[in-house]
Amino acid sequence: MGTQWASNFRMALYLFLVSSSFGFLQPFLPLYMEAAHISRAQIGVITGLGIGIALLVQPLLGRLSDRLDARRPFICLSALFAFFAYTAVPHARHYGEFLALVALGANGTMYLNAAGGVLIGRMVQKSKGGTAYAALRVWGSVGYIVTALVTGILVFRRAGAALDRAALGPVFQYGPVLFLVVAALAWTLPDSKSVTQDPEANTKAPLPPNLRRFLTAYFFYTFALYGASSFLSLFLKSLGAKGIMISAAFAVGVLVEVFVMRWSGRFSDQYGRRPALAISFLLLPIRLLLYVPATGPAWVFFVQALHGINFGIMGAVAVVFVNDLATDNTRGHAQARLFAVAGLATAVGPLLFGAIAQAYGLPMMFVAAAGIAVIGAALFMVGVQDSHPASESLADIAPTRLKRAVGWLDGPPHTTPK
């Protein structure tokens, strides 16, 4: 019991620290680049190409960590890369310098996220993976809230009405210290070894067809969500929000996420991953359209609360869905694929939406994002089966008149083997 508690504590602390870093990066990195006279279209290109460059490395890291059956050294190095990249942001002066730093930093944070899913996947049984992962991942949400709010308060006190480079610079002087703590913590994380004798053969196994279909739908989901979210802080600023208001808008969604994530883990263990994921897929296009009529920050606060439902489900259940369909020796590669797909979508999304925002304005950008989200929802609903090894049917407990509709949450009417 003591050993298990210690392992859970270290993993919860790891997720707390990794997600904490996004508490200062997501709201304030776009604002810093705009303060450096980078246009919205250029911010989209920097964000997109930076992540795209990182994607060239992630599959290699996933395969190599599987082959060596070790993640601690890769976590440590990734955290150090992220530290040096984001610490150097205040010294960047030109477009190319921002691009290089964002690429290096994204490469680090992308692996840190993927490795967390792998380590937890090895710690828990598949049938209870949703509850176990959500119970630990929720501490990441807490870390995000704390960092976003503290950073917003400090920026507001320093900047007042101005959000210039001088005011935002300290965010990137002190925030990246979180990555140094992650690098040190890496060597204490539970990283159990595989019992399979031929890990190299397993890492060459093709991905299951159901996982490939899910990753395709997930691409469009992430394309829409994080492509548009790259410009959310700029949207808030255009509506009159200041430092603490911008942080609070991001934090309110994560606060809702804390409660939803615990529910989604338990729900997915009992009724399957697909019904929970379907809720997230179907909600996203509605949420993106709700940004369009915003006339002030308060409206955005309300819509951001829906992000808690989106990520409270997707942030936990997508990782568990992948773990369900992988083995110990392919889990690193499978999780790397999940985050590579997310990274590719997050790379392409800002390129397209930055151009739309520059030409037609931010509200039209959200309309375009909603259209992309509809494609992802359609692909998921008609093509992806559940991954849970022994879940109950949600349709069985639904009222008679709703059984057929609820049956779509359990699975598409015509399925193929998982």
Side-chain angles (χ1 to χ4, degrees):
M1 179 64 71
T3 301
Q4 183 64 42
W5 184 92
S7 296
N8 288 343
F9 175 80
R10 289 193 291 269
M11 283 307 307
L13 179 60
Y14 173 79
L15 295 174
F16 178 94
L17 292 167
V18 172
S19 294
S20 290
S21 68
F22 289 96
F24 76 86
L25 290 173
Q26 192 176 45
F28 294 105
L29 184 56
L31 290 172
Y32 188 88
M33 289 191 283
E34 185 179 60
H37 307 293
I38 305 295
S39 71
R40 289 173 180 174
Q42 289 175 323
I43 291 172
V45 172
I46 290 171
T47 304
L49 285 182
I51 295 172
I53 292 169
L55 288 175
L56 299 175
V57 180
Q58 290 304 304
L60 297 176
L61 289 179
R63 285 184 179 274
L64 185 58
S65 64
D66 278 341
R67 187 163 298 177
L68 297 177
D69 202 16
R71 275 136 293 275
R72 291 172 180 167
F74 297 97
I75 291 173
C76 181
L77 289 174
S78 295
L80 291 175
F81 284 141
F83 168 76
F84 288 117
Y86 292 120
T87 301
V89 163
H91 304 287
R93 293 291 180 270
H94 306 293
Y95 175 87
E97 294 173 347
F98 279 109
L99 174 60
L101 293 176
V102 169
L104 183 61
N107 201 48
T109 57
M110 203 178 295
Y111 184 82
L112 295 178
N113 273 286
V118 175
L119 294 178
I120 294 175
R122 290 188 168 217
M123 291 170 57
V124 302
Q125 296 178 353
K126 286 186 177 182
S127 61
K128 298 296 181 182
T131 301
Y133 183 78
L136 294 173
R137 177 58 183 80
V138 73
W139 289 104
S141 301
V142 174
Y144 185 106
I145 294 169
V146 171
T147 303
L149 291 178
V150 170
T151 305
I153 291 170
L154 294 177
V155 167
F156 179 74
R157 286 182 175 178
R158 182 182 179 90
L163 287 173
D164 55 18
R165 293 190 69 167
L168 295 170
V171 173
F172 299 96
Q173 292 173 1
Y174 302 111
V177 172
L178 290 166
F179 293 114
L180 288 182
V181 182
V182 171
L185 180 66
W187 303 103
T188 71
L189 296 175
D191 190 10
S192 60
K193 300 302 179 182
S194 171
V195 297
T196 305
Q197 299 300 314
D198 189 10
E200 183 173 347
N202 280 309
T203 60
K204 295 179 180 179
L207 294 177
N210 194 41
L211 180 54
R212 291 200 301 269
R213 292 191 294 270
F214 171 73
L215 292 177
T216 302
Y218 184 69
F219 171 84
F220 287 98
Y221 176 95
T222 311
F223 185 113
L225 176 56
Y226 291 107
S229 295
S230 298
F231 300 92
L232 185 58
S233 58
L234 302 182
F235 185 54
L236 283 160
K237 182 183 176 184
S238 72
L239 295 173
K242 307 303 179 185
I244 183 59
M245 296 175 69
I246 292 172
S247 288
F250 281 88
V252 69
V254 183
L255 181 61
V256 175
E257 167 190 313
V258 169
F259 299 100
V260 174
M261 191 170 285
R262 297 295 295 268
W263 167 85
S264 69
R266 293 191 299 269
F267 179 87
S268 74
D269 282 344
Q270 183 172 358
Y271 295 109
R273 320 302 182 202
R274 179 185 153 98
L277 291 169
I279 294 171
S280 190
F281 270 98
L282 294 172
L283 174 63
L284 181 59
I286 299 171
R287 173 192 156 196
L288 290 170
L289 286 176
L290 286 174
Y291 287 114
V292 176
T295 56
W299 181 274
V300 179
F301 280 29
F302 166 75
V303 181
Q304 273 298 101
L306 297 178
H307 177 74
I309 301 176
N310 277 128
F311 193 81
I313 296 172
M314 191 66 71
V317 182
V319 171
V320 180
F321 183 97
V322 172
N323 279 339
D324 286 344
L325 299 177
T327 66
D328 279 350
N329 288 337
T330 62
R331 192 164 285 124
H333 179 48
Q335 290 293 343
R337 282 290 186 93
L338 176 69
F339 283 93
V341 167
L344 178 60
T346 308
V348 178
L351 292 173
L352 173 63
F353 297 143
I356 294 174
Q358 189 74 25
Y360 302 104
L362 290 165
M364 284 304 300
M365 179 203 70
F366 287 114
V367 173
I372 299 294
V374 168
I375 296 174
L379 290 173
F380 178 85
M381 294 303 294
V382 302
V384 178
Q385 302 171 72
D386 207 335
S387 65
H388 194 290
S391 60
E392 300 176 23
S393 170
L394 196 61
D396 288 346
I397 64 170
T400 302
R401 293 181 179 180
L402 298 178
K403 284 187 181 295
R404 178 171 296 182
V406 173
W408 272 91
L409 298 179
D410 284 330
H414 303 290
T415 60
T416 55
K418 296 180 182 180

